[in-house]
Amino acid sequence: MTTTDAGGGDRLALAVLTQYRMGTTGQLHRVLAPKVRIEQTRRRLAKLRAEGLVDRVTLPQAGRLRAWFPTEYGVRVALEWPELRERRAPRLVADPVAARLRAGHALAVTETALAFLEDARRRGETCLPLDWLPEVHHPIGNDEAVIPDALLYYRSSDAMLRAFVEVDRATMGPERLAAKLTAYARLHRYIPGRTPGRRWHTTTQSTEEAWRQRYPLFPRLQFVLDSTGPTGIDNRIRALHAHTRDPMVNAFLRHVPALAAPAQKVDRMHSRHRRELLLSSECLPPGPCVTHLLLFEQAYHSARDHVRLPRRSP
């Protein structure tokens, strides 16, 4: 097995690439070692590539942007470490061509992670590189699963905050995006072992929703809308609103906050306001969620730039 440095720099670099799936040289530098010269990050990545742990692809953009991803060997090595041992093996990129075709979405997800990671550093709060977990598998029965683009952990001075993050790059229609609300509503009520239409026995089957085995509170939802103009953003937000009329979704949103924001606004948002993306509401079961939107609304120039999906009665 290839050894990594005892100081953890090589190890963290491989762990981040295994968990994040992909990142450019600049993105990885911002994640791993923003206080040192970027040449050190380049040398580290080149070393890992020489050892067969990572590979790269040059994207057809100005400046010959390089995107890095773990090799099959690199994934095997990283998943043996305690910090990644319980993680599912990522879907591997077979070769540089496959990596290039996946790069757009993967790099947008990594950039979204950096918005929160860098904000926590500025505030002296806790959001470490491995607190961003892409593609966490959540079964909902019938061989189906909810797999968010990422699960985010963020510890403020007085709370641990969690969010399911969906990064939409306008590669699917607004209705398909909105349908994700139904999937999350199903996850919120899913009890393993129950089969609709069949009798079940409490002595042999669970009576508790599956998500409670992982989280004390169901993570809030955050839709980050990218790669489209104002009209496309509005269409997606209207589709999300329309989907809240579904009774199951409406009941779900009585307990779980769901927000949507354009990616450009998240990137440019002042750190205090970006933090409100997570702090703006908190669920206190069994009562309703209490939401404070004032600071969040101040982060945007117009009402359409910030939307919280309403909890309307059916």
Side-chain angles (χ1 to χ4, degrees):
M1 179 183 298
T2 300
T3 58
T4 54
D5 60 315
D10 289 357
R11 178 176 177 135
L12 180 59
L14 180 57
V16 164
L17 263 181
T18 299
Q19 189 153 295
Y20 285 39
R21 283 32 174 183
M22 189 176 294
T24 66
T25 305
Q27 286 177 330
L28 293 170
H29 178 68
R30 290 159 60 196
V31 172
L32 299 169
K35 295 183 179 181
V36 304
R37 295 174 62 86
I38 195 171
E39 285 77 10
Q40 294 187 31
T41 301
R42 292 193 180 105
R43 288 196 295 268
R44 187 179 302 282
L45 292 170
K47 175 186 175 185
L48 294 175
R49 184 172 185 240
E51 294 172 332
L53 294 166
V54 306
D55 203 351
R56 73 188 184 198
V57 60
T58 300
L59 303 178
Q61 300 178 13
R64 295 178 59 80
L65 191 67
R66 289 175 174 173
W68 298 83
F69 57 94
T71 63
E72 181 178 359
Y73 173 50
V75 170
R76 290 203 313 270
V77 170
L79 292 183
E80 293 180 1
W81 299 335
E83 59 267 38
L84 297 182
R85 190 166 292 155
E86 296 184 2
R87 297 282 287 126
R88 292 170 63 96
R91 290 174 291 181
L92 292 173
V93 177
D95 54 53
V97 174
R100 177 175 56 80
L101 296 175
R102 285 187 57 184
H105 183 76
L107 297 180
V109 172
T110 298
E111 191 64 29
T112 304
L114 277 160
F116 294 101
L117 180 62
E118 293 176 333
D119 200 44
R121 290 170 177 165
R122 284 190 291 267
R123 299 185 61 86
E125 297 183 331
T126 304
C127 182
L128 302 178
L130 297 183
D131 288 336
W132 178 265
L133 286 71
E135 299 179 0
V136 179
H137 189 271
H138 298 80
I140 56 175
N142 298 322
D143 295 323
E144 297 178 84
V146 172
I147 306 176
D149 284 326
L151 168 65
L152 171 66
Y153 288 92
Y154 187 112
R155 180 171 290 281
S156 68
S157 58
D158 56 0
M160 170 61 80
L161 306 167
R162 305 167 188 83
F164 290 133
V165 182
E166 293 286 351
V167 180
D168 175 64
R169 300 183 61 249
T171 56
M172 64 178 69
E175 291 75 18
R176 284 187 60 194
L177 172 67
K180 292 187 176 184
L181 286 173
T182 299
Y184 282 106
R186 288 179 59 191
L187 173 61
H188 187 256
R189 65 192 300 181
Y190 171 62
I191 298 176
R194 281 194 181 184
T195 304
R198 294 186 181 181
R199 298 180 63 182
W200 57 284
H201 305 282
T202 59
T203 57
T204 59
Q205 295 179 317
S206 173
T207 60
E208 183 178 74
E209 294 87 351
W211 65 265
R212 296 185 186 276
Q213 299 173 18
R214 298 186 179 190
Y215 314 111
L217 293 175
F218 195 92
R220 65 202 68 204
L221 306 186
Q222 174 62 44
F223 292 90
V224 177
L225 309 177
D226 196 8
S227 298
T228 187
T231 300
I233 295 292
D234 287 346
N235 289 339
R236 279 162 164 66
I237 287 174
R238 281 198 294 268
L240 290 167
H241 270 293
H243 215 68
T244 65
R245 300 190 186 101
D246 178 273
M248 182 171 66
V249 172
N250 187 278
F252 165 63
L253 293 177
R254 292 177 181 273
H255 299 281
V256 179
L259 303 105
Q264 302 93 317
K265 297 299 180 182
V266 174
D267 292 339
R268 298 171 186 170
M269 198 185 302
H270 186 278
S271 65
R272 177 170 62 92
H273 294 139
R274 189 184 296 117
R275 184 170 177 267
E276 288 299 314
L277 194 67
L278 293 177
L279 291 178
S280 59
S281 57
E282 187 63 65
C283 288
L284 301 174
C289 296
V290 179
T291 304
H292 306 282
L293 296 178
L294 178 60
L295 290 177
F296 212 68
E297 290 170 352
Q298 292 173 350
Y300 300 97
H301 299 299
S302 64
R304 73 181 182 184
D305 288 333
H306 164 249
V307 173
R308 182 186 181 282
L309 303 186
R311 302 189 194 96
R312 294 177 290 194
S313 300

